[in-house]
Structures are given as C-alpha cells and as structure tokens.
Amino acid sequence: FHSQCRKGDRGISPQESLIARHSRWHMFMRSAILILFASAVRADVYMQFPSGSNNRLAEGGGNRNNNNRLMDTQNNAKGGYGYGGSANNKAPPLSYMVGSQLSIAWTSQHSCGSESAECQNVIQYMCNDAASTPAGLPQQSPEGPVGEGPARDGTDGNTPDPNNPDEDRGLHEPTSFYQDCDARQRNQGLYIADQNLNNNVGARATRQNPNGARSGLECPEERDYYPYWHPTPWKDLAIMTNNMALCEFYAGESQNVKPKNYCEDPQHNNEQSCGTAQWKTQPAFGIPKPMCISAPVQRENHLGNSGGANEVMVNISIPAAAGLNGIDDANNCVVRLRYNITTSDTRACEDKAYNTKIECEEKGFVWSAAFLDSRDNDKDLSSTPPMINQNPKVDIGYGGNGGTNSLLELAVNTNQYGRTFQDRSHVFSIQARPEALPLNAKIFNLNAKGKRGNIVQTYPATEYDFHPVDLLVGSQDYIHVQWTGNDNTNNNGNNNGEGTNNEDRHNIVQMVENGLDVPMPAADATMFDVAYEWNPEPTGPFAGTRNKAELTKQFALVKQTGCLAAGDVNGDQQRGNCEKLNSASATVDLGLLKMKPGEYKYFSSRNNNFSNRAQKAKMTVIDKNSAPPLAPVSLKAITQSNEDRKEEGKVWLEWGPSGSALYQGTDGKWYTGKTEQEWEVFDYSVQKSPDGGESWYNVEECKGTTPNCMVDGLWGGQPYAFRVMAGGVGGWSEPSEIAIAKTESTSLSNSCDAQKAKQADGEFLTSGQIIAIVCGVIAGLLLIGFIIFLIRRRSPPPPPPMKTAFESVPPPPATYQ
C-alpha cells in the first residue's frame, strides 16, 4: 500500500481505506497539509501585492459582491482590491518582465512560524492564453472553448457556470478540471475528524467543505490539500512553512518535478478501481522545484506585519516560457496564495505504532498534522492519541458536577480543523526582456499598492504605499516602475483622499528628507540622472529617448494629457486638473531605469494629506554591479581523524546557508533556517589561515553550493582559522564569522611539541635533539617550499559563476564581472 501511494500518487478507494493494515499509510498523508483548528472566528489572508482580489471584480470599496466568484477564500468580504480601471473601462494589466524580481506580500490573521501552530503558505501561478485546457492537465473536450480558457478576470461578476460557459465571466481553473473533480470519488483515506461529508459530490466534499459547495471552478480537494495527488494547472513558486522536517518533501512532491496520475474515467481516484489501461500519468511541468523556506514568526489574532516594518513577503522570479508553446510572452497569468494552518491539537506520528510526541520523536519519526488519516476520524479527547471533537466538555479536576464545580465547554468546530484560506491576484501579463538588456542583468519591480482611504476605510487592505518601500540595488541592476489603480474605491461613501473621487493615482517626485513633504526642484533632482533608461512607449507624445528633464517630468506628471491651464483649475474633481493627477491613466508604465550609485528618497505628491499621508520610499544604489548575498552563518570547524594519511590533519566544515539562522520548527526542534538567500548563492569560497587570521589561503577543494566541506592536507597539531564567503550575481559576500579548530596531533607534531617543552625547561642539546634539529631543518626547507607554493597560489576568490533564472542563458561577457 505504501509503495503504491508513493509510486502512483493516487487517491484511495473506500475499500482500501477500510483495510489499511499498517503505518505505511502515513506516507500518503504527507500529500495532505492539514490546516486550522479554530472557533467561528475566521483566520483571513489577504494578498497586499500583487493586489489580491478576494473575489472582487471591479468593486474597489465596501464589501465584495460575490463571495464565490472564482474561489473559496474563507476571508472577510471587506478585504481585497478591485482590478485596474472600472467595470466599463478596464485598464491594461501590469506586465512583468521575465526574470524580474517580484516581492509578493500578504497579511494573515493567525500565527505562522511559531511552535503553537503548524502552517504553510503556498504561492503558485498559472498562465493560459488559449481557449484550451492549460498546461498541467490532460487535454479534454470541454462544454465550450470559452470554458477552458483563456484565464481572465471577466467583466461579469457572477460565478462561472460549468454547464454554460460565458466569456464575460472570470475564469481561472478550466471547466474540465471542475467536472473531473465533481465526478471523481473523494479520497476516503483523509482525516475528516467527526464531520459528515456528502459522498455524492465527489472530490468537492472536504472537511472544510462537507456539503461540496462550488466556488468558481476550483476543486475543493485540490484546494485543501497540498501537495495534491492528481494533476493541477497550478505551478509552484514557493512554500513558506514552519514544518521544516517536511520542507524537502513538499518541494519534491510538487508537480513542477513530479508526474501526477489520473483515470481517463474520472470517477475513479486510484489505479486499482480505474484499471491499468485507463490509469494515466500527466507529466511534470519540467521546471525547478519551488523554494521551501522558513516562515517568519507571526502573532495569533493579529492581521498585520510580521514583527518588522513590512508584511510577510517573499521574492520570486517571474518565470520564463510561461506563454503558448514555451514563449516568454504570456498575457493571462494569475498568482494564487494559499494559507494553511493547524494547531497542535491534531497531530499524529509518522509511524502509527507510536501515539505520543515523545515516543514518536525518540524513535526518529516526525510528529505532525500531515500524518493524520481516516483511522483518526471520530476520535475524542479520551482516544489515543487524543483528538478534539465538536464542542467538547472537559473536566479540569473539579469533578464536573455542575454549580461551582462545572465542566468547561470548548468552542470547537471540527470542519475548521483543516482550514485553507486563499487569495488570488487579478490577471497580469509577462513580457520578454528588452533585447538591449544583458541576459544576466537583474530587474527589480517597483510598484504602488494600497487603496484610497484612511486606515479604517481601507482595512483589511492597506493605505497607499510604494512597494518595496526600501529598495536596494546595484549599479548594473534595472528597475521597472509601473502601477495600476482601481477607479471604484468608494468605501461606503467615505473617500478620504485627494483628486477625483474613487480613483487610485500615484506619481514619484524626489525629496531631500523623509520628514519633508515638498519635492526638490527639478533642476536639483538627481534621481533621474540615470545611466540607462528604456521607454515602453514605442509611439506617441511620450515615446523616444528620455533625458533627465524628461524623466523627471514623466515621473512627476505621469504622462497626463488634456490638462487645464493653471488659471482654469478650480476644484479637486475636475478631470483636467493635472495638479492632482486627475488626468492620469489607471495603469502607468514608466519603463526601466539603471540608476547611478546614491541614495534617493521620493514620495507621491497626490497622496500626502493628513488622513493618508506619507506615501514615501527610499532607493539605495550601491557602487557594485548588484547586491551580493549575505554572509554565511553558523560556521563550525570539527577536527577529524586522518586514518589514511596519519601525518596530515583534517577538519570538517559546515555552515548555514547565506542569510539563515537557527529556526525553531513547529515540532519545537531547532533547524538551520532556510531563506531566499539560499537561492541567491551560486558558489561558496572557503579560506583557511594557519597564523591566526593574518594570512588567508583559498581551499580549492571546497567549491560549489553545498554548505559543508572536508579540508585535508593540513599540518598536524596546528590550530587553523576558517571562514566562508557566498558568491552571487553581485559578487562575494562579506566573510562569515571565523571558526577555529586544532588538527589532530601526529607523530611529528608530538615530537616537536616535546622538544619545545624540554627547551622551555632549560634542557640543552642531546643526541636526540641534534637529530631533531636536522629533521627540523629538513622540515623547514620543505615548509619554505610549501609556503612559496601557497604564496604563489594565494589570491582572492575569483568572481562567482553568474547565473540567472534561466538555465539556457549563456555566461556573462567579460565586461560584466
């Protein structure tokens, strides 16, 4: 049974779930992330950038109109952002360049990254430009081509109908995906607590969705469990979790790299009931594994930042070859964020033979919610292991006889043990990089986020801000500046903001200090004295090469036309009032800039009144090609025995990936944390010092991205210092902290130590000492030769190998070192 699950990644028939005979079932359950224990309070998640729709269409303010338009978010109806423009005049979507860095940011209500909860944030994307089934799914004959694609926001806010597809309605998952889910028997091996699921609605019925309600055309079973065991159209970008013991498992089970199985007769969910002839394999996407990193610590019941100045954030690289037939240009793409959470109340052992966390971990197994299965259903607090049931009453030691010795009732809804919250972006596009850009050059996206209104009116969205608010780049990096805004952000009649009511508009003007609200005169501004610029406008009044003066003007006045003369401006609501940016388009693309080194502070002149002031940000351009990785951490040097070459010393080195630190997982154990910096490192350089750090020599055998290395060929009985540097596109990091180890003593080092001790005691030459001196002279000559050899080979590390997000990109030219 274990081998079948691992081999086929298949669903489980009712008969199989009843006769599961041993603990190997836990391996299948690794495919199911189990999510939230909670009361009726919702644990919302909102994508703050790219702007999450939370099922909105064009409606930017108040509550969303349709809770089930494209997905089941489980979120509050007040959250989310309307798409750019208005229902009657949809603005062009944002268009990100292939390989550019996009900072995805969100807020979530409950904890993640702490021992009190087990959580995963899964970030995925899908592109589908054609009226056909998207990649990742078996091609099927749909009810109509508009029911399969392209992916779209739509202009009609109703839920797509699988029986009557309408091109005016939004569409993410295709109709065939939903129809297969509806027909397919649900996986009856899953943990559902004490919930009664409707077995007549296929894989639509889950613990979170027991009656099989439909939201958009998503498959509830696929939504609620990750990694999923059947094909999906969603490609994985990143997984952020505090279950570090399963991090590599999650990445390895992704359809990015692992094929998924399905039955041509969609009612069957496993090979046995399907039959071998109809049991098919959908190939993997053939793209890299998603990065799996440590989730930052967040507070319970706190919908805000994660302990710093920003929301929870992860930087992803815009994928290549996302368009039709593998081209880079893709016009219809969506990002999905899934927030999965559970508490410690519902966990089990990787090996079902052990029923307590202590026993489980003592035997080397993992204690996690991922290993609950149908054998744990309908249990309560008296079971082994104990499981919370619906609204249990507990006696904490007073007898439970009522009155002053009353029991306590817990507010528990078991369909919320397993909880998935999600948000999705509106449709965006991906464009190929301009031909003039070096293929290995880094591109950063600089955008605006938030909606019109003060903090009360916008919550749980945010007020206006730039994104990122503090950008660090190198002198050879490029910055793509663009934003879009909604034209219907009337928050229940409250419209705190400047310029035309309802509309989100932005600009960028340089200022001297963050505390000021007055822009620099254009003649004094240095921000737009750039090394290079790329103009996205091929024709029209704003096309052509832009100098400093033109860039300063375009960023300040955002390419407005139809502006009134200064004497004719007499109100905030005039469309021609360009002083308030009223004539600006909802979507503005200001192109690419390559900045000169310096620090630049800037703000939006429209969005700086007292109610929603301080749309301010900073950009730092360092005098390096690009920002190097952070230094490696937690370097350890461990002396080793050298059985093969007894006269030489040997030391084992290990360190944490760049930017990492010790991290406490959901199991309470300490791990080497995983951050995005691990994916920024293309090489490590190890150096050694035999003289206390006065001189450093490269360890040539320690190369590559593996964070450990064996250093041999050392002198015996000698203390050595070691340090490590991380190499990336921006060059080498600062050295790590130094680690010191003394190599194991050898017969020669012991003899020398003994001679030194005698000389310290005042003893003079003996025949043995004379022999030792002769040996020492010979050894000294050899040592001199060895030092000369080291001096000749001693040099700083060469530039690290250059990489980009694309395996096919050639190495950089010699001028880009």
Side-chain angles (χ1 to χ4, degrees), residues 554-631:
Q554 284 196 17
F555 274 71
L557 295 174
V558 288
K559 301 190 277 193
Q560 297 177 91
T561 59
C563 300
L564 294 171
D568 295 331
V569 175
N570 56 25
D572 277 5
Q573 302 304 308
Q574 288 176 288
R575 178 58 64 192
N577 183 350
C578 292
E579 298 170 2
K580 289 288 188 178
L581 311 183
N582 290 352
S583 195
S585 299
T587 298
V588 175
D589 186 348
L590 291 161
L592 285 171
L593 302 179
K594 185 165 76 170
M595 310 290 291
K596 293 180 179 179
E599 183 178 84
Y600 307 101
K601 299 172 183 177
Y602 54 95
F603 73 108
S604 171
S605 64
R606 168 164 160 145
N607 304 317
N608 70 331
N609 68 22
F610 188 77
S611 293
N612 53 10
R613 66 186 308 175
Q615 185 183 353
K616 300 177 179 180
K618 181 179 72 172
M619 179 193 305
T620 303
V621 185
I622 60 175
D623 195 11
K624 293 184 177 180
N625 288 347
S626 192
L630 301 179

Side-chain angles (χ1 to χ4, degrees), residues 231-382:
T232 170
W234 296 99
K235 299 176 181 179
D236 298 325
L237 290 166
I239 305 158
M240 184 181 284
T241 182
N242 63 353
N243 193 340
M244 301 309 295
L246 296 182
C247 205
E248 289 305 314
F249 172 81
Y250 295 149
E253 289 292 308
S254 166
Q255 194 173 331
N256 288 12
V257 293
K258 183 173 181 178
K260 302 293 180 177
N261 297 111
Y262 67 96
C263 187
E264 287 186 322
D265 181 353
Q267 67 178 306
H268 302 290
N269 67 4
N270 64 86
E271 184 176 4
Q272 180 178 334
S273 63
C274 173
T276 303
Q278 288 189 301
W279 187 245
K280 303 299 181 181
T281 298
Q282 180 68 30
F285 288 116
I287 57 178
K289 289 181 181 180
M291 62 179 177
C292 184
I293 59 179
S294 309
V297 175
Q298 297 169 251
R299 285 174 44 198
E300 291 94 337
N301 299 324
H302 176 72
L303 188 65
N305 295 345
S306 61
N310 298 303
E311 304 95 345
V312 180
M313 192 181 304
V314 63
N315 295 311
I316 61 99
S317 179
I318 297 296
L324 290 174
N325 302 316
I327 65 172
D328 285 342
D329 291 319
N331 296 318
N332 302 276
C333 302
V334 182
V335 165
R336 174 166 77 158
L337 167 67
R338 295 155 74 190
Y339 171 50
N340 308 325
I341 185 169
T342 187
T343 66
S344 302
D345 297 278
T346 52
R347 296 187 184 182
C349 187
E350 183 180 6
D351 188 324
K352 286 289 189 179
Y354 305 101
N355 293 316
T356 68
K357 184 175 186 288
I358 294 176
E359 281 184 311
C360 180
E361 294 182 342
E362 282 181 348
K363 298 297 182 179
F365 296 108
V366 178
W367 182 261
S368 168
F371 304 118
L372 293 168
D373 60 42
S374 57
R375 289 171 289 175
D376 299 300
N377 292 339
D378 298 311
K379 291 186 177 181
D380 56 29
L381 292 172
S382 64

Side-chain angles (χ1 to χ4, degrees), residues 451-454 457-458 463-464 489 491 494-505 572-573 580 582 606-613:
K451 66 165 66 172
R452 184 185 181 94
N454 62 32
Q457 294 160 2
T458 62
E463 299 176 76
Y464 294 133
T489 55
N491 290 286
N494 298 308
N495 229 306
N496 286 24
E498 297 297 314
T500 310
N501 287 342
N502 302 327
E503 297 178 353
D504 300 322
R505 296 295 184 268
D572 277 5
Q573 302 304 308
K580 289 288 188 178
N582 290 352
R606 168 164 160 145
N607 304 317
N608 70 331
N609 68 22
F610 188 77
S611 293
N612 53 10
R613 66 186 308 175

Side-chain angles (χ1 to χ4, degrees), residues 391-402:
N391 297 331
K393 297 181 180 180
V394 297
D395 178 9
I396 62 172
Y398 302 122
N401 295 320

